[in-house]
Amino acid sequence: MLQVCLNGARGPREHHHLPVRPPELAKAAADSVAAGATDIHLHPKTPDGTDSLDPATVAAAVHAVRAAAPGIPVGITTGSWTTPDTRSRLAAIHSWTVLPDHASVNWHEQDAADIAHALLQRGIGVEAGIPSGTDAERNLARWPHRNRILRVLARVTDPTANGASVTAETLLARLDTGNIPILLHGRGAGTWAVLDLAARHGLHTRIGLEDTLTLPDGDIAADNAALVTAARTIT
């Protein structure tokens, strides 16, 4: 599986084609799927580029992307920065009127189990985010419902081209996921080295403007579809 991560927590000033509004997300999704992406991850945003879990914002984003890329699973973030506190995040999840297929939960955040449980209650798949350099994998291992997650998102936080591969191997060695699929991905200059490693290990992976703004040769990518096209030559 090659997931496209359309925008992340970035602001629109970081890249000229960073999709923010629903029509922009829809076009980015359609173009990325045409380039070879088989799954979509996005951050619903207010018009100024702020991440939000507001029901209307989530509904508009997910509906637009589904219409543009029918049949492709659509997931969103539930990161702690999207709402003021845990209670408001839980309230937002329970008030969503249009449900994503899956949502990522960061297991280094203290309330991860509560957020994941709320998603499962609503029939939403859980992607368990495990960043390198944290105790996230231990937190997930202690959760009694860990076997119900959709997959593990193993995130290499080392942004350097030279160090990311080593960090990725260390992270993979620490994971004990059983039969749960792993999606391995990097960020910054380490993105492409980690993507290559994921391909060699036969793991799921992802690419998009959330993780990197540049192509393997260092040039700025025109858009998400250009990143997906480059990733397909590796995966």
Side-chain angles (χ1 to χ4, degrees):
M1 182 191 78
L2 178 61
Q3 183 181 85
V4 61
C5 46
L6 294 177
N7 50 14
R10 297 185 186 274
R13 294 184 179 182
E14 295 186 60
H15 190 279
H16 59 293
H17 277 161
L18 186 86
V20 172
R21 299 172 184 268
E24 298 166 352
L25 290 166
K27 184 180 188 310
D31 291 347
S32 296
V33 169
T38 56
D39 192 275
I40 297 166
H41 172 79
L42 62 90
H43 291 207
K45 294 179 180 290
T46 58
D48 67 353
T50 301
D51 289 1
S52 174
L53 298 185
D54 170 75
T57 303
V58 170
V62 173
H63 179 74
V65 169
R66 281 213 179 108
I72 303 298
V74 179
I76 67 174
T77 185
T78 63
S80 60
W81 63 87
T82 56
T83 60
D85 52 39
T86 301
R87 180 177 296 181
S88 60
R89 262 197 298 167
L90 292 172
I93 291 169
H94 286 296
S95 65
W96 289 343
T97 57
V98 176
L99 302 183
D101 297 287
H102 51 76
S104 59
V105 179
N106 298 318
W107 281 85
H108 62 296
E109 296 176 358
Q110 291 184 348
D111 56 5
D114 293 333
I115 300 301
H117 184 66
L119 293 171
L120 291 177
Q121 283 184 314
R122 301 222 60 192
I124 301 168
V126 173
E127 295 182 307
I130 309 294
S132 60
T134 70
D135 289 330
E137 74 275 7
R138 296 179 184 176
N139 297 336
L140 178 62
R142 290 193 292 264
W143 191 45
H145 304 293
R146 61 187 176 277
N147 290 330
R148 296 177 62 190
I149 66 173
L150 179 64
R151 56 181 158 257
V152 166
L153 300 183
R155 183 187 183 198
V156 178
T157 58
D158 187 333
T160 67
N162 292 332
S165 294
V166 175
T167 302
E169 293 283 14
T170 301
L171 176 59
L172 291 175
R174 293 178 61 176
L175 292 176
D176 182 13
T177 62
N179 294 324
I180 300 170
I182 295 175
L183 186 158
L184 179 67
H185 71 102
R187 70 184 185 97
T191 299
W192 294 103
V194 174
L195 190 142
D196 180 71
L197 182 65
R200 287 189 278 114
H201 279 275
L203 302 175
H204 298 316
T205 190
R206 77 178 201 181
I207 196 68
L209 293 176
E210 174 171 353
D211 289 345
T212 184
L213 304 179
T214 60
L215 296 166
D217 62 6
D219 289 345
I220 299 295
D223 52 20
N224 280 290
L227 292 169
V228 172
T229 297
R232 290 293 294 167
T233 66
I234 299 172
T235 60

